[in-house]
mmCIF file of all heavy atoms in Angstrom:
data_model
loop_
_atom_site.group_PDB
_atom_site.id
_atom_site.type_symbol
_atom_site.label_atom_id
_atom_site.label_comp_id
_atom_site.label_asym_id
_atom_site.label_seq_id
_atom_site.Cartn_x
_atom_site.Cartn_y
_atom_site.Cartn_z
ATOM 1 N N ARG A 29 7.392 68.420 69.920
ATOM 2 C CA ARG A 29 7.461 67.600 71.128
ATOM 3 C C ARG A 29 7.768 66.160 70.758
ATOM 4 O O ARG A 29 7.403 65.689 69.686
ATOM 5 C CB ARG A 29 6.131 67.616 71.877
ATOM 6 C CG ARG A 29 5.717 68.950 72.406
ATOM 7 C CD ARG A 29 4.329 68.800 72.999
ATOM 8 N NE ARG A 29 3.765 70.043 73.429
ATOM 9 C CZ ARG A 29 3.502 70.337 74.703
ATOM 10 N NH1 ARG A 29 3.754 69.466 75.649
ATOM 11 N NH2 ARG A 29 2.970 71.476 75.015
ATOM 12 N N LYS A 30 8.403 65.471 71.684
ATOM 13 C CA LYS A 30 8.611 64.028 71.514
ATOM 14 C C LYS A 30 7.378 63.321 72.089
ATOM 15 O O LYS A 30 6.959 63.614 73.205
ATOM 16 C CB LYS A 30 9.865 63.581 72.249
ATOM 17 C CG LYS A 30 10.111 62.094 72.127
ATOM 18 C CD LYS A 30 11.457 61.715 72.667
ATOM 19 C CE LYS A 30 11.659 60.233 72.715
ATOM 20 N NZ LYS A 30 11.710 59.526 71.499
ATOM 21 N N PHE A 31 6.798 62.411 71.325
ATOM 22 C CA PHE A 31 5.653 61.626 71.769
ATOM 23 C C PHE A 31 6.154 60.281 72.273
ATOM 24 O O PHE A 31 6.819 59.553 71.550
ATOM 25 C CB PHE A 31 4.658 61.406 70.623
ATOM 26 C CG PHE A 31 3.706 62.544 70.449
ATOM 27 C CD1 PHE A 31 4.141 63.755 69.930
ATOM 28 C CD2 PHE A 31 2.387 62.415 70.823
ATOM 29 C CE1 PHE A 31 3.269 64.809 69.778
ATOM 30 C CE2 PHE A 31 1.504 63.473 70.677
ATOM 31 C CZ PHE A 31 1.942 64.675 70.153
ATOM 32 N N TYR A 32 5.832 59.972 73.527
ATOM 33 C CA TYR A 32 6.241 58.711 74.118
ATOM 34 C C TYR A 32 5.150 57.654 73.999
ATOM 35 O O TYR A 32 5.457 56.474 73.847
ATOM 36 C CB TYR A 32 6.620 58.904 75.590
ATOM 37 C CG TYR A 32 7.778 59.854 75.756
ATOM 38 C CD1 TYR A 32 7.587 61.164 76.174
ATOM 39 C CD2 TYR A 32 9.073 59.437 75.467
ATOM 40 C CE1 TYR A 32 8.650 62.036 76.309
ATOM 41 C CE2 TYR A 32 10.143 60.307 75.600
ATOM 42 C CZ TYR A 32 9.925 61.604 76.013
ATOM 43 O OH TYR A 32 10.975 62.466 76.134
ATOM 44 N N GLU A 33 3.899 58.083 74.094
ATOM 45 C CA GLU A 33 2.791 57.123 74.071
ATOM 46 C C GLU A 33 1.483 57.869 73.823
ATOM 47 O O GLU A 33 1.308 58.998 74.266
ATOM 48 C CB GLU A 33 2.728 56.406 75.420
ATOM 49 C CG GLU A 33 1.946 55.147 75.440
ATOM 50 C CD GLU A 33 2.204 54.335 76.703
ATOM 51 O OE1 GLU A 33 2.845 54.837 77.651
ATOM 52 O OE2 GLU A 33 1.744 53.201 76.729
ATOM 53 N N ILE A 34 0.580 57.216 73.107
ATOM 54 C CA ILE A 34 -0.777 57.724 72.884
ATOM 55 C C ILE A 34 -1.719 56.809 73.652
ATOM 56 O O ILE A 34 -1.575 55.586 73.619
ATOM 57 C CB ILE A 34 -1.163 57.700 71.391
ATOM 58 C CG1 ILE A 34 -0.230 58.584 70.562
ATOM 59 C CG2 ILE A 34 -2.625 58.068 71.179
ATOM 60 C CD1 ILE A 34 -0.509 60.051 70.624
ATOM 61 N N TYR A 35 -2.683 57.391 74.353
ATOM 62 C CA TYR A 35 -3.672 56.619 75.107
ATOM 63 C C TYR A 35 -5.041 56.804 74.465
ATOM 64 O O TYR A 35 -5.448 57.923 74.188
ATOM 65 C CB TYR A 35 -3.736 57.107 76.559
ATOM 66 C CG TYR A 35 -2.401 57.100 77.258
ATOM 67 C CD1 TYR A 35 -1.736 58.286 77.532
ATOM 68 C CD2 TYR A 35 -1.804 55.907 77.639
ATOM 69 C CE1 TYR A 35 -0.508 58.293 78.165
ATOM 70 C CE2 TYR A 35 -0.571 55.900 78.278
ATOM 71 C CZ TYR A 35 0.067 57.096 78.537
ATOM 72 O OH TYR A 35 1.290 57.098 79.162
ATOM 73 N N LEU A 36 -5.741 55.699 74.244
ATOM 74 C CA LEU A 36 -7.085 55.736 73.674
ATOM 75 C C LEU A 36 -8.067 55.065 74.608
ATOM 76 O O LEU A 36 -7.799 53.971 75.105
ATOM 77 C CB LEU A 36 -7.125 55.015 72.323
ATOM 78 C CG LEU A 36 -6.301 55.611 71.192
ATOM 79 C CD1 LEU A 36 -6.441 54.734 69.956
ATOM 80 C CD2 LEU A 36 -6.740 57.030 70.890
ATOM 81 N N ALA A 37 -9.209 55.711 74.832
ATOM 82 C CA ALA A 37 -10.286 55.091 75.607
ATOM 83 C C ALA A 37 -10.895 53.985 74.760
ATOM 84 O O ALA A 37 -11.140 54.162 73.576
ATOM 85 C CB ALA A 37 -11.331 56.122 75.996
ATOM 86 N N ARG A 38 -11.118 52.850 75.343
ATOM 87 C CA ARG A 38 -11.582 51.683 74.593
ATOM 88 C C ARG A 38 -12.942 51.874 73.930
ATOM 89 O O ARG A 38 -13.181 51.360 72.859
ATOM 90 C CB ARG A 38 -11.656 50.473 75.520
ATOM 91 C CG ARG A 38 -10.301 49.976 75.918
ATOM 92 C CD ARG A 38 -10.427 48.739 76.765
ATOM 93 N NE ARG A 38 -9.109 48.339 77.224
ATOM 94 C CZ ARG A 38 -8.908 47.590 78.271
ATOM 95 N NH1 ARG A 38 -9.922 47.141 78.967
ATOM 96 N NH2 ARG A 38 -7.685 47.265 78.630
ATOM 97 N N ASP A 39 -13.817 52.633 74.555
ATOM 98 C CA ASP A 39 -15.170 52.761 73.995
ATOM 99 C C ASP A 39 -15.314 53.984 73.094
ATOM 100 O O ASP A 39 -16.398 54.343 72.699
ATOM 101 C CB ASP A 39 -16.217 52.792 75.113
ATOM 102 C CG ASP A 39 -16.106 54.034 75.990
ATOM 103 O OD1 ASP A 39 -15.103 54.754 75.878
ATOM 104 O OD2 ASP A 39 -17.029 54.267 76.787
ATOM 105 N N ASN A 40 -14.219 54.614 72.732
ATOM 106 C CA ASN A 40 -14.277 55.801 71.874
ATOM 107 C C ASN A 40 -14.389 55.382 70.406
ATOM 108 O O ASN A 40 -13.658 54.512 69.954
ATOM 109 C CB ASN A 40 -13.007 56.640 72.079
ATOM 110 C CG ASN A 40 -13.142 58.010 71.483
ATOM 111 O OD1 ASN A 40 -14.108 58.701 71.721
ATOM 112 N ND2 ASN A 40 -12.179 58.387 70.685
ATOM 113 N N PRO A 41 -15.279 56.005 69.646
ATOM 114 C CA PRO A 41 -15.375 55.682 68.225
ATOM 115 C C PRO A 41 -14.062 56.014 67.515
ATOM 116 O O PRO A 41 -13.484 57.058 67.738
ATOM 117 C CB PRO A 41 -16.501 56.577 67.715
ATOM 118 C CG PRO A 41 -17.114 57.215 68.899
ATOM 119 C CD PRO A 41 -16.224 56.998 70.069
ATOM 120 N N THR A 42 -13.598 55.112 66.665
ATOM 121 C CA THR A 42 -12.301 55.316 66.027
ATOM 122 C C THR A 42 -12.351 56.232 64.810
ATOM 123 O O THR A 42 -11.323 56.701 64.369
ATOM 124 C CB THR A 42 -11.689 53.964 65.605
ATOM 125 O OG1 THR A 42 -12.592 53.318 64.717
ATOM 126 C CG2 THR A 42 -11.407 53.093 66.800
ATOM 127 N N GLY A 43 -13.512 56.490 64.247
ATOM 128 C CA GLY A 43 -13.621 57.317 63.046
ATOM 129 C C GLY A 43 -12.991 58.684 63.188
ATOM 130 O O GLY A 43 -12.322 59.165 62.282
ATOM 131 N N ARG A 44 -13.169 59.332 64.321
ATOM 132 C CA ARG A 44 -12.615 60.668 64.547
ATOM 133 C C ARG A 44 -11.106 60.635 64.777
ATOM 134 O O ARG A 44 -10.447 61.663 64.704
ATOM 135 C CB ARG A 44 -13.286 61.317 65.752
ATOM 136 C CG ARG A 44 -14.768 61.571 65.529
ATOM 137 C CD ARG A 44 -15.413 62.185 66.732
ATOM 138 N NE ARG A 44 -14.867 63.530 66.959
ATOM 139 C CZ ARG A 44 -15.004 64.205 68.090
ATOM 140 N NH1 ARG A 44 -15.658 63.668 69.087
ATOM 141 N NH2 ARG A 44 -14.502 65.401 68.221
ATOM 142 N N LEU A 45 -10.563 59.465 65.044
ATOM 143 C CA LEU A 45 -9.152 59.356 65.390
ATOM 144 C C LEU A 45 -8.295 58.759 64.277
ATOM 145 O O LEU A 45 -7.098 58.566 64.461
ATOM 146 C CB LEU A 45 -9.000 58.515 66.658
ATOM 147 C CG LEU A 45 -9.753 59.028 67.882
ATOM 148 C CD1 LEU A 45 -9.644 58.043 69.022
ATOM 149 C CD2 LEU A 45 -9.230 60.384 68.296
ATOM 150 N N ASP A 46 -8.891 58.486 63.120
ATOM 151 C CA ASP A 46 -8.162 57.822 62.039
ATOM 152 C C ASP A 46 -6.895 58.575 61.635
ATOM 153 O O ASP A 46 -5.846 57.963 61.439
ATOM 154 C CB ASP A 46 -9.058 57.620 60.816
ATOM 155 C CG ASP A 46 -10.077 56.520 61.021
ATOM 156 O OD1 ASP A 46 -9.911 55.725 61.969
ATOM 157 O OD2 ASP A 46 -11.044 56.461 60.243
ATOM 158 N N ASN A 47 -6.969 59.882 61.499
ATOM 159 C CA ASN A 47 -5.812 60.673 61.096
ATOM 160 C C ASN A 47 -4.689 60.582 62.128
ATOM 161 O O ASN A 47 -3.522 60.422 61.779
ATOM 162 C CB ASN A 47 -6.213 62.131 60.869
ATOM 163 C CG ASN A 47 -5.102 62.932 60.227
ATOM 164 O OD1 ASN A 47 -4.345 62.417 59.426
ATOM 165 N ND2 ASN A 47 -5.021 64.202 60.579
ATOM 166 N N ILE A 48 -5.048 60.669 63.398
ATOM 167 C CA ILE A 48 -4.055 60.573 64.470
ATOM 168 C C ILE A 48 -3.419 59.187 64.470
ATOM 169 O O ILE A 48 -2.198 59.057 64.585
ATOM 170 C CB ILE A 48 -4.695 60.890 65.836
ATOM 171 C CG1 ILE A 48 -5.088 62.362 65.886
ATOM 172 C CG2 ILE A 48 -3.749 60.540 66.978
ATOM 173 C CD1 ILE A 48 -5.898 62.753 67.105
ATOM 174 N N LEU A 49 -4.217 58.155 64.329
ATOM 175 C CA LEU A 49 -3.685 56.794 64.323
ATOM 176 C C LEU A 49 -2.757 56.555 63.138
ATOM 177 O O LEU A 49 -1.759 55.842 63.256
ATOM 178 C CB LEU A 49 -4.819 55.779 64.349
ATOM 179 C CG LEU A 49 -5.633 55.767 65.643
ATOM 180 C CD1 LEU A 49 -6.813 54.817 65.516
ATOM 181 C CD2 LEU A 49 -4.767 55.394 66.826
ATOM 182 N N LYS A 50 -3.042 57.165 62.010
ATOM 183 C CA LYS A 50 -2.166 57.043 60.840
ATOM 184 C C LYS A 50 -0.807 57.674 61.142
ATOM 185 O O LYS A 50 0.243 57.100 60.832
ATOM 186 C CB LYS A 50 -2.831 57.726 59.634
ATOM 187 C CG LYS A 50 -1.955 57.828 58.419
ATOM 188 C CD LYS A 50 -1.764 56.483 57.752
ATOM 189 C CE LYS A 50 -1.054 56.661 56.431
ATOM 190 N NZ LYS A 50 0.230 56.001 56.360
ATOM 191 N N ILE A 51 -0.800 58.853 61.762
ATOM 192 C CA ILE A 51 0.457 59.524 62.105
ATOM 193 C C ILE A 51 1.250 58.698 63.114
ATOM 194 O O ILE A 51 2.465 58.544 62.975
ATOM 195 C CB ILE A 51 0.187 60.944 62.644
ATOM 196 C CG1 ILE A 51 -0.420 61.828 61.544
ATOM 197 C CG2 ILE A 51 1.466 61.580 63.180
ATOM 198 C CD1 ILE A 51 -0.952 63.160 62.037
ATOM 199 N N THR A 52 0.564 58.163 64.127
ATOM 200 C CA THR A 52 1.277 57.368 65.138
ATOM 201 C C THR A 52 1.892 56.114 64.517
ATOM 202 O O THR A 52 2.979 55.706 64.891
ATOM 203 C CB THR A 52 0.362 56.972 66.314
ATOM 204 O OG1 THR A 52 -0.728 56.193 65.840
ATOM 205 C CG2 THR A 52 -0.139 58.178 67.056
ATOM 206 N N GLU A 53 1.193 55.538 63.575
ATOM 207 C CA GLU A 53 1.719 54.354 62.884
ATOM 208 C C GLU A 53 2.955 54.727 62.070
ATOM 209 O O GLU A 53 3.972 54.024 62.109
ATOM 210 C CB GLU A 53 0.639 53.775 61.967
ATOM 211 C CG GLU A 53 1.028 52.486 61.301
ATOM 212 C CD GLU A 53 -0.100 51.947 60.440
ATOM 213 O OE1 GLU A 53 -1.215 51.778 60.969
ATOM 214 O OE2 GLU A 53 0.143 51.709 59.246
ATOM 215 N N ASP A 54 2.893 55.842 61.346
ATOM 216 C CA ASP A 54 4.028 56.287 60.526
ATOM 217 C C ASP A 54 5.253 56.606 61.386
ATOM 218 O O ASP A 54 6.385 56.415 60.948
ATOM 219 C CB ASP A 54 3.651 57.523 59.714
ATOM 220 C CG ASP A 54 2.639 57.226 58.621
ATOM 221 O OD1 ASP A 54 2.420 56.034 58.296
ATOM 222 O OD2 ASP A 54 2.038 58.194 58.098
ATOM 223 N N ARG A 55 5.032 57.106 62.598
ATOM 224 C CA ARG A 55 6.144 57.518 63.474
ATOM 225 C C ARG A 55 6.494 56.480 64.540
ATOM 226 O O ARG A 55 7.309 56.750 65.406
ATOM 227 C CB ARG A 55 5.788 58.834 64.152
ATOM 228 C CG ARG A 55 5.642 59.976 63.177
ATOM 229 C CD ARG A 55 5.455 61.260 63.901
ATOM 230 N NE ARG A 55 5.084 62.315 62.982
ATOM 231 C CZ ARG A 55 4.724 63.522 63.354
ATOM 232 N NH1 ARG A 55 4.699 63.835 64.643
ATOM 233 N NH2 ARG A 55 4.392 64.423 62.465
ATOM 234 N N ASN A 56 5.867 55.335 64.482
ATOM 235 C CA ASN A 56 6.112 54.257 65.451
ATOM 236 C C ASN A 56 5.908 54.708 66.902
ATOM 237 O O ASN A 56 6.718 54.421 67.772
ATOM 238 C CB ASN A 56 7.517 53.673 65.284
ATOM 239 C CG ASN A 56 7.667 52.959 63.967
ATOM 240 O OD1 ASN A 56 6.754 52.301 63.504
ATOM 241 N ND2 ASN A 56 8.815 53.118 63.337
ATOM 242 N N ILE A 57 4.821 55.414 67.141
ATOM 243 C CA ILE A 57 4.464 55.842 68.495
ATOM 244 C C ILE A 57 3.540 54.787 69.087
ATOM 245 O O ILE A 57 2.558 54.396 68.458
ATOM 246 C CB ILE A 57 3.763 57.222 68.488
ATOM 247 C CG1 ILE A 57 4.684 58.276 67.859
ATOM 248 C CG2 ILE A 57 3.355 57.630 69.893
ATOM 249 C CD1 ILE A 57 3.995 59.596 67.565
ATOM 250 N N ALA A 58 3.859 54.332 70.284
ATOM 251 C CA ALA A 58 3.054 53.303 70.948
ATOM 252 C C ALA A 58 1.643 53.823 71.242
ATOM 253 O O ALA A 58 1.479 54.961 71.678
ATOM 254 C CB ALA A 58 3.722 52.874 72.242
ATOM 255 N N VAL A 59 0.653 52.981 70.999
ATOM 256 C CA VAL A 59 -0.743 53.304 71.301
ATOM 257 C C VAL A 59 -1.235 52.312 72.344
ATOM 258 O O VAL A 59 -1.161 51.104 72.141
ATOM 259 C CB VAL A 59 -1.627 53.235 70.037
ATOM 260 C CG1 VAL A 59 -3.086 53.503 70.382
ATOM 261 C CG2 VAL A 59 -1.126 54.217 68.979
ATOM 262 N N THR A 60 -1.729 52.844 73.469
ATOM 263 C CA THR A 60 -2.183 52.008 74.573
ATOM 264 C C THR A 60 -3.672 52.235 74.817
ATOM 265 O O THR A 60 -4.086 53.358 75.072
ATOM 266 C CB THR A 60 -1.408 52.366 75.865
ATOM 267 O OG1 THR A 60 -0.012 52.188 75.613
ATOM 268 C CG2 THR A 60 -1.841 51.491 77.024
ATOM 269 N N PRO A 61 -4.486 51.173 74.728
ATOM 270 C CA PRO A 61 -5.906 51.324 75.053
ATOM 271 C C PRO A 61 -6.091 51.383 76.573
ATOM 272 O O PRO A 61 -5.458 50.639 77.317
ATOM 273 C CB PRO A 61 -6.550 50.076 74.465
ATOM 274 C CG PRO A 61 -5.449 49.083 74.350
ATOM 275 C CD PRO A 61 -4.167 49.837 74.235
ATOM 276 N N LEU A 62 -6.923 52.299 77.021
ATOM 277 C CA LEU A 62 -7.246 52.446 78.441
ATOM 278 C C LEU A 62 -8.752 52.523 78.607
ATOM 279 O O LEU A 62 -9.466 52.885 77.679
ATOM 280 C CB LEU A 62 -6.641 53.745 79.008
ATOM 281 C CG LEU A 62 -5.140 53.898 79.047
ATOM 282 C CD1 LEU A 62 -4.792 55.287 79.560
ATOM 283 C CD2 LEU A 62 -4.515 52.847 79.924
ATOM 284 N N LYS A 63 -9.204 52.226 79.798
ATOM 285 C CA LYS A 63 -10.600 52.463 80.128
ATOM 286 C C LYS A 63 -10.780 53.967 80.292
ATOM 287 O O LYS A 63 -9.844 54.671 80.679
ATOM 288 C CB LYS A 63 -10.965 51.740 81.417
ATOM 289 C CG LYS A 63 -10.909 50.232 81.287
ATOM 290 C CD LYS A 63 -11.264 49.555 82.578
ATOM 291 C CE LYS A 63 -11.167 48.052 82.401
ATOM 292 N NZ LYS A 63 -11.425 47.328 83.642
ATOM 293 N N PRO A 64 -11.969 54.476 79.978
ATOM 294 C CA PRO A 64 -12.195 55.917 80.102
ATOM 295 C C PRO A 64 -11.830 56.482 81.482
ATOM 296 O O PRO A 64 -11.263 57.578 81.568
ATOM 297 C CB PRO A 64 -13.690 56.073 79.813
ATOM 298 C CG PRO A 64 -14.001 54.930 78.907
ATOM 299 C CD PRO A 64 -13.140 53.799 79.397
ATOM 300 N N LYS A 65 -12.101 55.729 82.539
ATOM 301 C CA LYS A 65 -11.759 56.214 83.886
ATOM 302 C C LYS A 65 -10.249 56.321 84.072
ATOM 303 O O LYS A 65 -9.767 57.229 84.736
ATOM 304 C CB LYS A 65 -12.357 55.311 84.963
ATOM 305 C CG LYS A 65 -13.825 55.518 85.178
ATOM 306 C CD LYS A 65 -14.318 54.721 86.356
ATOM 307 C CE LYS A 65 -15.796 54.987 86.573
ATOM 308 N NZ LYS A 65 -16.310 54.335 87.772
ATOM 309 N N GLN A 66 -9.495 55.384 83.480
ATOM 310 C CA GLN A 66 -8.039 55.451 83.573
ATOM 311 C C GLN A 66 -7.506 56.688 82.842
ATOM 312 O O GLN A 66 -6.623 57.378 83.335
ATOM 313 C CB GLN A 66 -7.393 54.194 82.973
ATOM 314 C CG GLN A 66 -7.623 52.941 83.776
ATOM 315 C CD GLN A 66 -7.113 51.715 83.054
ATOM 316 O OE1 GLN A 66 -7.475 51.460 81.905
ATOM 317 N NE2 GLN A 66 -6.256 50.956 83.726
ATOM 318 N N LEU A 67 -8.058 56.954 81.663
ATOM 319 C CA LEU A 67 -7.649 58.121 80.900
ATOM 320 C C LEU A 67 -8.035 59.402 81.629
ATOM 321 O O LEU A 67 -7.269 60.366 81.658
ATOM 322 C CB LEU A 67 -8.253 58.089 79.497
ATOM 323 C CG LEU A 67 -7.798 59.174 78.524
ATOM 324 C CD1 LEU A 67 -6.281 59.256 78.442
ATOM 325 C CD2 LEU A 67 -8.399 58.933 77.160
ATOM 326 N N SER A 68 -9.192 59.409 82.271
ATOM 327 C CA SER A 68 -9.606 60.563 83.070
ATOM 328 C C SER A 68 -8.622 60.813 84.206
ATOM 329 O O SER A 68 -8.317 61.968 84.532
ATOM 330 C CB SER A 68 -11.014 60.359 83.642
ATOM 331 O OG SER A 68 -11.961 60.318 82.616
ATOM 332 N N GLY A 69 -8.109 59.752 84.798
ATOM 333 C CA GLY A 69 -7.122 59.886 85.860
ATOM 334 C C GLY A 69 -5.815 60.469 85.356
ATOM 335 O O GLY A 69 -5.215 61.327 86.003
#
């Protein structure tokens, strides 16, 4: 799949997401912080 954007909830611990963030950085995929309610929507 083509990844257009990754959304992260602001209050989520980053430790579990380190591997994903490394891949997004390597592939230049935009990462957008959102509030948990926005991500739920």
Side-chain angles (χ1 to χ4, degrees):
R29 296 175 186 246
K30 179 171 173 66
F31 276 72
Y32 299 103
E33 197 166 10
I34 299 281
Y35 305 107
L36 296 178
R38 289 183 184 158
D39 66 348
N40 193 50
T42 58
R44 295 179 66 196
L45 303 174
D46 286 345
N47 190 34
I48 292 172
L49 293 175
K50 172 72 172 118
I51 295 169
T52 60
E53 185 178 305
D54 291 346
R55 295 187 190 173
N56 293 322
I57 301 169
V59 177
T60 302
L62 296 176
K63 294 180 181 177
K65 283 187 178 185
Q66 291 173 306
L67 186 52
S68 294

